[in-house]
């Protein structure tokens, strides 16, 4: 009788946790969250390094994309919620042991800092828009104040961007029931991947040749770092217990092998790395937009 009850219960849907419970919405949010982290970090870092001439797009205009990307990701996350009216409950408590609680509060802090980043550079980056909104004295005084504080704002944006980029990996690594995710390297992997997509997006949108080369070189370094972390992650799985060995088998020869090695490693990392290297050596100019596009595809994969 106990065996019959157990078998009957486990045959019911949703009894055992399944990956299908998290669909495209979560994947989209994780990708756009990492992209937002890269956007915020590079716009702030280039400003702090006084790269106004070398990277004008990153310093003056890139920050505008951060709340747009994050809002799209938050919309996807909202669609995944089972009880959407209860979303406010995230902000009625803070649980120090919960990565999801940290993430909820990080997302709230991102928006005001991103808004200050945008307003502190709006006059230089979007002069036509600035001319319209600065006709109102309170807005003009606010923008003037934020312009004087833009280095402080950038200094605040960097740790928030790092926290946003890394917390999603930490969140997944806390799932001990998923041996493939249950690894300490997942946080750094998500962070570096997000920064790489942010650099790739900047490369796609920048118009100055020097800025494109700068972010191409940055992305080469980030791709190499990502490949190193992926190698360490796979090695840690290979040296783990039987459950992690079984999970690793899903990547090496199982159902996820084609997507992992094909879309992520080959198309998303190795091919853009080769194209970027040729671009920096001056041997490839016609396909300069292909490599960053592949990096974005690989980050999503």
């Amino acid at each position: 009788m106990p065996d019959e009850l157990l078998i009957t219960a486990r045959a019911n849907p949703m009894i055992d946790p399944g990956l299908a419970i998290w669909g495209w919405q979560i994947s989209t949010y994780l990708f756009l969250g990492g992209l937002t982290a890269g956007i915020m970090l590079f716009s702030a870092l280039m400003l702090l390094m006084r790269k106004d001439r070398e990277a004008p797009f990153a310093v003056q205009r890139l920050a505008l994309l951060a709340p747009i990307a994050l809002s799209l990701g938050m919309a996807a996350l909202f669609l995944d919620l089972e009880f959407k009216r209860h979303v406010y409950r995230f902000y009625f408590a803070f649980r120090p042991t919960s990565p999801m609680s940290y993430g909820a509060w990080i997302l709230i802090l991102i928006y005001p800092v991103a808004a200050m980043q945008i307003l502190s550079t709006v006059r230089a980056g979007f002069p036509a828009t600035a001319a319209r909104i600065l006709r109102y004295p309170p807005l003009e005084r606010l923008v003037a104040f934020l312009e004087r504080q833009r280095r402080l704002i950038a200094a605040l944006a960097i740790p928030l961007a790092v926290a946003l980029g890394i917390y999603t990996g930490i969140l997944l690594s806390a799932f001990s029931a998923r041996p493939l995710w249950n690894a300490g390297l997942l946080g750094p992997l998500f962070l570096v991947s997000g920064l790489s997509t942010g650099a790739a997006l900047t490369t796609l949108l920048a118009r100055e040749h020097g800025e494109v080369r700068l972010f191409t070189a940055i992305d080469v370094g980030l791709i190499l770092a990502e490949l190193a972390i992926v190698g360490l992650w796979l090695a840690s799985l290979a040296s783990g217990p039987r459950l992690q060995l079984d999970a690793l088998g899903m990547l090496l020869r199982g159902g996820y092998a084609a997507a992992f090695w094909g879309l992520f490693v080959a198309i998303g990392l190795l091919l853009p790395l080769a194209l970027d290297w040729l671009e920096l050596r001056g041997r490839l100019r016609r396909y300069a937009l292909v490599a960053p596009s592949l990096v974005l595809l690989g980050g999503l994969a």
Side-chain angles (χ1 to χ4, degrees):
M1 180 66 71
D3 291 339
E4 293 175 0
L5 289 175
L6 179 62
I7 294 171
T8 303
R10 293 179 72 90
N12 292 333
M14 308 295 285
I15 292 297
D16 282 339
L19 289 177
I21 295 174
W22 281 0
W24 65 268
Q25 300 94 333
I26 298 299
S27 301
T28 301
Y29 162 71
L30 294 177
F31 169 69
L32 291 172
L35 180 62
T36 302
I39 290 170
M40 289 188 68
L41 186 138
F42 284 121
S43 61
L45 187 62
M46 292 298 110
L47 191 151
L48 290 176
M49 295 175 65
R50 304 184 187 276
K51 297 286 187 180
D52 301 67
R53 291 187 178 181
E54 296 90 337
F57 176 80
V59 172
Q60 299 171 2
R61 309 183 75 175
L62 181 61
L64 177 65
L65 301 178
I68 296 174
L70 186 59
S71 296
L72 291 173
M74 292 283 282
L77 191 63
F78 182 75
L79 291 175
D80 181 73
L81 293 178
E82 183 73 19
F83 301 103
K84 295 177 174 56
R85 291 181 298 173
H86 295 177
V87 66
Y88 66 91
R89 293 178 180 268
F90 276 111
Y91 304 103
F92 275 34
F94 174 70
R95 300 184 181 276
T97 59
S98 169
M100 192 171 291
S101 185
Y102 278 102
W105 285 97
I106 288 169
L107 292 171
I108 285 295
L109 294 174
I110 287 287
Y111 278 101
V113 175
M116 289 190 291
Q117 271 190 296
I118 295 168
L119 290 175
S120 68
T121 58
V122 67
R123 203 190 308 260
F126 303 93
T129 302
R132 288 195 294 268
I133 67 174
L134 297 183
R135 289 181 296 178
Y136 304 97
L139 284 177
E140 199 283 331
R141 288 194 292 269
L142 174 62
V143 169
F145 171 76
L146 293 176
E147 286 174 339
R148 294 193 297 270
Q149 307 299 324
R150 65 179 194 157
R151 293 182 63 82
L152 175 60
I153 295 168
L156 291 174
I158 289 177
L160 275 177
V162 171
L164 176 62
I166 203 170
Y167 102 86
T168 48
I170 295 174
L171 172 65
L172 294 186
S173 68
F175 284 86
S176 57
R178 298 295 173 199
L180 193 64
W181 300 348
N182 191 216
L185 287 167
L186 213 59
L189 178 59
F190 270 57
L191 174 61
V192 174
S193 178
L195 297 182
S196 180
T197 57
L201 182 65
T202 308
T203 303
L204 279 175
L205 299 178
R207 292 295 176 261
E208 297 289 337
H209 179 67
E211 186 170 13
V212 171
R213 284 184 61 84
L214 172 63
F215 276 92
T216 299
I218 290 172
D219 209 20
V220 166
L222 289 169
I223 292 173
L224 289 173
E226 192 170 355
L227 284 169
I229 296 173
V230 168
L232 292 172
W233 173 52
L234 295 178
S236 69
L237 291 175
S239 60
R242 177 61 183 271
L243 288 175
Q244 288 193 326
L245 290 173
D246 291 342
L248 179 61
M250 295 295 294
L251 293 183
L252 297 182
R253 58 189 177 276
Y256 296 106
F260 179 77
W261 295 106
L263 283 176
F264 175 55
V265 176
I267 294 177
L269 294 176
L270 295 178
L271 182 55
L273 177 63
L275 294 175
D276 281 343
W277 180 255
L278 292 173
E279 169 70 16
L280 292 174
R281 297 292 297 272
R283 298 180 182 179
L284 189 68
R285 293 181 181 269
R286 292 178 58 191
Y287 306 102
L289 300 181
V290 175
S293 301
L294 293 178
V295 169
L296 290 169
L297 175 63
L300 178 59

